[in-house]
Amino acid sequence: MARQSNDPAQFLNNLFESGQDLMRQFAQIGASGTANPAQERAAETKANPATDFIAASRKLAELQQGYFKQMTAYMTGTFGVAASAPSDDKRFSADAWASDPRFDVLKRTYISYSGFLKNAVETAPMDDNGKVQLRFAVGQFIDAMSPTNFLATNPEALQLAEETGGQSLVEGMNLYFKDLAKGRISMSDESAFEVGRNVAATEGEVVFESELIQLIQYTPKTAQVYERPLVLIPPCINKFYILDLQQENSFVRYAVEQG
């Protein structure tokens, strides 16, 4: 019994080749059916989905082969003079990404594969709406798999851990367990802010509440106020106090002080 290769690159190559062979057979069967001449002439005037799919798969295979050739050049370059792979990506601004051959190849591998995935999306045979969704999903995957997101493949994190004697890792784990206990990821040091003291400090009260909103009426700061109120609707992606930070930069306080 033949043993299947564990090489993922070879597996993908075989998969693409098998898919192309299958679609070629499908197209040949469709073209050599028992349809009469009139049906055949009518079929010739219509688009052939199998042919379109074969063309798309061939294009994807070409992209894949180009990626393999590029990666082969990178890997062989580690033992000689490698072609440069410039990037203005700030994630790879540390010197180690260029000076250390290990991280240099890792960076170029990631950039090359990211380009391969993006090009594959653009050649996918789908409508514009579907392509937009796929482009977004692939972009999220590419960003999540960046080597800078993992300790073992982030030279800056490794260097900081060495310089601090591992203290940076201890602090990181503490933050991780705190977020785990809260059930969400903290975007800042939440202990530095207290609602009503140094954020959302403008006086007011909730005068209406539903499952969707809370309506806050702020306390007047002038003897007279305008008859028509000013209604503020903050963005759904932010908290209400994005418009009411500290006194010196609170739009809500400024508006209340104007009546």
Side-chain angles (χ1 to χ4, degrees):
M1 181 176 181
R3 183 178 180 181
Q4 186 175 3
S5 172
N6 293 324
D7 183 4
Q10 185 62 40
F11 171 78
L12 286 174
N13 186 61
N14 294 339
L15 181 63
F16 280 119
E17 290 181 352
S18 300
Q20 291 180 66
D21 291 338
L22 180 63
M23 292 310 300
R24 289 193 192 98
Q25 296 174 15
F26 176 76
Q28 290 173 358
I29 293 174
S32 60
T34 59
N36 58 45
Q39 291 176 328
E40 289 179 355
R41 287 193 298 270
E44 290 176 355
T45 62
K46 297 181 180 179
N48 189 333
T51 303
D52 294 340
F53 186 87
I54 291 175
S57 62
R58 284 176 177 172
K59 180 62 177 177
L60 192 59
E62 291 176 1
L63 295 174
Q64 182 194 36
Q65 292 173 4
Y67 167 73
F68 288 155
K69 291 179 180 179
Q70 191 174 29
M71 291 313 306
T72 300
Y74 287 164
M75 297 305 296
T76 55
T78 59
F79 304 101
V81 179
S84 60
S87 172
D88 55 0
D89 195 324
K90 295 181 179 179
R91 294 174 297 179
F92 304 109
S93 59
D95 293 338
W97 290 110
S99 59
D100 191 320
R102 298 169 300 174
F103 292 111
D104 182 41
V105 170
L106 181 63
K107 175 193 69 176
R108 288 181 289 171
T109 300
Y110 170 75
I111 293 175
S112 297
Y113 194 63
S114 298
F116 164 73
L117 292 178
K118 292 178 181 178
N119 290 333
V121 170
E122 299 308 318
T123 60
M126 58 175 57
D127 57 33
D128 292 339
N129 290 334
K131 188 166 294 187
V132 168
Q133 296 177 7
L134 182 60
R135 190 182 295 123
F136 174 79
V138 170
Q140 295 295 306
F141 171 78
I142 290 173
D143 291 341
M145 295 308 295
S146 171
T148 56
N149 292 336
F150 304 92
L151 174 63
T153 54
N154 187 325
E156 293 180 275
L158 293 173
Q159 182 178 357
L160 182 60
E162 182 180 358
E163 293 174 350
T164 61
Q167 185 61 32
S168 62
L169 302 181
V170 174
E171 294 176 357
M173 290 303 297
N174 286 335
L175 293 175
Y176 168 74
F177 286 120
K178 288 180 180 179
D179 287 348
L180 198 62
K182 290 185 293 187
R184 55 185 173 83
I185 298 176
S186 300
M187 304 300 293
S188 62
D189 181 8
E190 298 177 359
S191 63
F193 302 97
E194 181 182 345
V195 175
R197 182 177 64 85
N198 57 1
V199 66
T202 304
E203 297 82 358
E205 61 178 334
V206 177
V207 296
F208 173 79
E209 182 175 3
S210 69
E211 295 181 355
L212 180 63
I213 68 167
Q214 284 184 325
L215 179 61
I216 302 174
Q217 182 175 7
Y218 290 96
T219 304
K221 294 190 177 299
T222 56
Q224 292 183 321
V225 297
Y226 285 93
E227 182 178 355
R228 179 179 296 175
L230 173 65
V231 179
L232 302 176
I233 303 177
C236 294
I237 60 174
N238 287 319
K239 301 296 185 180
F240 75 94
Y241 48 73
I242 191 67
L243 298 171
D244 183 29
L245 300 174
Q246 301 182 37
Q247 295 186 14
E248 59 273 14
N249 60 352
S250 169
F251 176 77
V252 172
R253 175 172 290 272
Y254 171 80
V256 171
E257 289 176 346
Q258 308 308 308

